[in-house]
Amino acid sequence: MFIGFLKQAINSLQLQSQGRTSYRINQWCKWLSPGLAVKRWLLISIAGVFLASLGLAIWVKLTPIFWILELLKGLFGFLADILPNYISGPVLLLSGLLLVLWGQSRTVGSITEVLRPIGDEEELIDVLLAHRRLYRGPKIVVIGGGTGLSTLLRGLKTYSANITAIVTVADDGGSSGRLREEFGVLPPGDIRNCLAALADEEKLLTELFQYRFRAGDGLTGHSFGNLFLTAMTDITGDLVEAIAASSKVLAVRGQVLPATLSDVRLWAELTDGRRIEGESNIPKAAGKIVKIGCIPENPPAVPAAIKAIKEADYIIIGPGSLYTSLIPNLLVQEIADAIAATNAPRIYICNIMTQPGETDGYSVAEHIQAIDDACGNRRLFDAVLVHKKMPSAQALIRYAQQNAHPVFLDRESVTQLGRRIVPANILFEDENGAVRHDPQRLAKVLLKWYSGAHQMK
């Protein structure tokens, strides 16, 4: 019985040893993966060692080299007398290779210990491969605002680090509105959310950036990130510079840009003739919007945003509040013009539920028509992504109490508007029955559609 137990223990240890060995061999092989720029520098290093050795030998007139070679000749002759060359040769070759691999693995291990954050078990080679993959991803421009945009960014950053989020600066409610009123800065709220969403797993810093004060004279309701961006804007004198500095702190993948640096104020005309001013006031007016605009009428775009659109491989509009998050970006004429001029695949992500005060009773086609009307009846996107399953009964009841309902897909009308329909299961419901887009599912569907559209082009 004891012998049987001992055999099992030995077999288990052997399996573990083999597993560790195969894992290490797999990790070493990864260093030879294409695109890491490791093999070329290793060969250059070997060539450098060879040339240095040759130069040293010539410098000392080969005398020490001669005696070393004589010594090696005698040693190899002695070994050849004891062991035949077909045994001694492979043994020495294998020993040399093992020493090189051991030395290289220990070197890489030492570097990894220095570069790897405490508690992070990920191998350095895996980090390098992931970094290489992300920075070779498509150049994606996402346009929008609100929680919808930050939700999308959380999913997209796992596929590409070449992301540009163009964010509305029309917000005038909450903490952003207070800072805008008191300090004359552009509202930082949506920008802060996007920075946090694109942060490279810097959990503590992200939580700090999103932290909202619950007490304190004048601090209640403000988030730390909003105050930080406001302070950085005051120091640098420019919101774009403030965002760039914050991006470094949070190790952001990609960049976040405001659509404009102008102090934009939204206005909307309703069917009953009322004209409502202020982004936060429009949904409260509880009327059907027939026209929307901004003051000043044609604000200049941030040049970096136009450059990003022109260089984009893929442009995504939404998700987000139709009239107060998406369309404000497109009211910046230069942005709408740049989107219309690009040949990159373009897609609009339609909301799952209607929004009281903005899109009451709207269908998918009515969402599309509203965007077209705001941009001078131009088609700024080729396809529309819609959720194809109904939310749960619990969620439907919850939203019906707020006069919100699922957005109806009127296929024929969407087709008449010249848009392709991309149906997908991208819904996520939290424990309270709130309906959201699932970041990972949404990103996966978007990248799959992009691959197909890119190949067709």
Side-chain angles (χ1 to χ4, degrees), residues 141 164 166 255 257-260 301-310 335 338:
V141 171
T164 299
I166 299 176
Q255 62 177 340
L257 297 170
T260 179
V302 171
I306 302 302
K307 182 174 183 290
I309 293 171
K310 289 180 178 179
I335 288 180

Side-chain angles (χ1 to χ4, degrees), residues 308-359:
I309 293 171
K310 289 180 178 179
E311 296 176 354
D313 299 317
Y314 189 18
I315 295 176
I316 302 169
I317 301 172
S321 300
L322 179 63
Y323 287 105
T324 54
S325 291
L326 303 189
I327 289 179
N329 293 291
L330 306 176
L331 294 175
V332 180
Q333 191 68 36
E334 290 174 283
I335 288 180
D337 291 342
I339 297 171
T342 185
N343 291 321
R346 299 161 298 178
I347 192 168
Y348 163 57
I349 305 170
C350 190
N351 290 340
I352 299 171
M353 308 296 291
T354 60
Q355 187 170 352
E358 283 198 44
T359 57

